[in-house]
Amino acid sequence: MITFKQIEALYWIAELGNFEAAASKLNMSQSAISKRIQELEETFEVALFDRSKRNARLTEKGGELLDYAKDLLERRDYLLERVSAREVLVRRFRLGVTELTALTWLPALVEALRQAYPKVQIEPSVELSSELYHKLESDQLDLIVVPDVYSDARFVATPLKSVENAWMCAPGLVPEADPVSLERLAGHTVLTQGSQSGTGLIYERWLATHKVQMPRTITSHNLLVQVGLTLSGVGVSYLPKACLSHLIERGALRSIVTTPGLPRIRYAALHRADRQFGLNPSVAALAVRCCDFSRLLL
């Protein structure tokens, strides 16, 4: 008897190119996924993969079966979506977010997902935007929330709200009265996030358009380190305004008004356009709806 587990094994091996990646995707051992393919081959009495090749390449019959497998999996997911109770859906939902998201509304997002889909296994990953993008590209994540800096037809991007950043420093470090020109700001040590960060990349491009160079910079890929260095008076940095408003109110940080001012950073939720089976549509939709920065970041 053919099972959906066997069909899923065939689909993901074909999609990811090898047995090892498919086994990781389905959270199972490589020997177990090989056994499922062997069972399919015994059922149809044909070879589904050309094992003389390094990568898992489908035979002609394997490709034909894959077309039917895609249709069956799509119909199965539609059936689960329309008929089954949400509580019986058991899925892995691999969510990637940046550090700012993790420090603010990620707990509320995870709780909302758990309330709506108690059986969904949520696997959060907190990393730089560039690393999250690469993991989505290689199908190691289902959905990522990053600054909207990547334009790629392979991904579906849902625009979210934006974050207002401000130049900040320890009191007394920049004694000039506001507004401060970018050229004068460039005379100080500037703490940046670097181009591996979506926000850092956007601001690097923005400064370049204004022909402003920052000759003394310290790059940090960790937001908390960046905040700590700014509090210590090491330099000037761009930081999320609402998130750190309590430090400004206490006088631990000074918000600097510049001319021109920093542009807001628009965020987006991205998922692969070709992934219909590994990500339940309702879970993804709820995740996008929960990606609301209004309470914590604006």
Side-chain angles (χ1 to χ4, degrees):
M1 180 182 293
I2 301 172
T3 67
F4 277 115
K5 290 183 178 180
Q6 294 167 348
I7 293 172
E8 277 187 327
L10 174 73
Y11 173 80
W12 285 112
I13 294 169
E15 280 289 297
L16 302 180
N18 60 72
F19 282 65
E20 183 181 0
S24 176
K25 169 73 180 181
L26 295 173
N27 198 26
M28 60 190 299
S29 67
Q30 192 168 336
S31 60
I33 202 169
S34 297
K35 186 174 185 298
R36 290 181 181 177
I37 297 302
Q38 183 181 354
E39 290 168 348
L40 274 178
E41 291 177 326
E42 290 173 354
T43 298
F44 292 104
E45 297 182 348
V46 294
L48 299 176
F49 288 95
D50 183 354
R51 289 172 172 78
S52 66
K53 307 296 182 182
R54 183 173 182 180
N55 290 331
R57 184 175 299 176
L58 286 166
T59 62
E60 184 177 347
K61 281 294 182 181
E64 183 180 347
L65 181 58
L66 177 63
D67 290 336
Y68 292 117
K70 289 179 178 178
D71 184 60
L72 284 171
L73 290 171
E74 188 173 29
R75 289 174 181 273
R76 180 204 61 179
D77 283 359
Y78 181 82
L79 177 66
L80 287 171
E81 181 67 22
R82 293 294 181 180
V83 180
S84 297
R86 293 176 300 177
E87 288 74 13
V88 305
L89 295 175
V90 179
R91 303 255 179 176
R92 293 171 67 205
F93 183 62
R94 302 166 303 169
L95 173 66
V97 300
T98 60
E99 190 179 7
L100 179 59
T101 301
L103 290 171
T104 51
W105 56 265
L106 179 60
L109 170 59
V110 171
E111 180 60 25
L113 288 171
R114 283 177 174 164
Q115 289 290 332
Y117 298 95
K119 297 296 184 180
V120 169
Q121 299 174 20
I122 303 169
E123 300 178 6
S125 179
V126 182
E127 297 180 78
L128 290 167
S129 298
S130 58
E131 184 63 23
L132 294 173
Y133 181 83
H134 291 316
K135 285 193 172 183
L136 182 66
E137 187 178 38
S138 61
D139 201 46
Q140 298 177 60
L141 291 171
D142 295 312
L143 182 124
I144 63 173
V145 178
V146 293
D148 192 8
V149 68
Y150 304 106
S151 178
D152 194 320
R154 295 172 300 170
F155 304 118
V156 177
T158 301
L160 305 175
K161 294 189 177 181
S162 60
V163 174
E164 181 183 5
N165 289 295
W167 292 103
M168 298 186 194
C169 68
L173 184 66
V174 180
E176 297 92 339
D178 291 337
V180 178
S181 69
L182 292 177
E183 288 74 17
R184 290 186 67 86
L185 202 66
H188 298 271
T189 298
V190 177
L191 309 172
T192 70
Q193 296 179 13
S195 58
Q196 292 186 41
S197 157
T199 297
L201 181 58
I202 290 171
Y203 285 153
E204 280 187 7
R205 294 173 178 175
W206 178 75
L207 288 169
T209 61
H210 289 283
K211 297 181 172 55
V212 175
Q213 294 185 345
M214 302 291 184
R216 292 183 293 164
T217 61
I218 298 175
T219 300
S220 172
H221 298 315
N222 186 298
L223 179 60
L224 289 179
V225 171
Q226 191 178 2
V227 173
L229 291 174
T230 307
L231 285 166
S232 300
V234 173
V236 178
S237 185
Y238 45 78
L239 297 169
K241 193 171 182 179
C243 186
L244 299 179
S245 60
H246 63 291
L247 294 177
I248 297 173
E249 292 170 0
R250 283 167 38 193
L253 286 175
R254 177 199 165 196
S255 177
I256 306 169
V257 177
T258 61
T259 52
L262 285 168
R264 298 175 76 96
I265 301 297
R266 169 73 65 179
Y267 274 68
L270 276 65
H271 68 86
R272 290 179 55 140
D274 62 346
R275 288 295 177 258
Q276 301 178 46
F277 311 117
L279 175 62
N280 182 272
S282 288
V283 179
L286 178 61
V288 170
R289 287 200 302 271
C290 291
C291 293
D292 185 356
F293 290 80
S294 59
R295 286 191 303 112
L296 298 170
L297 298 184
L298 298 180

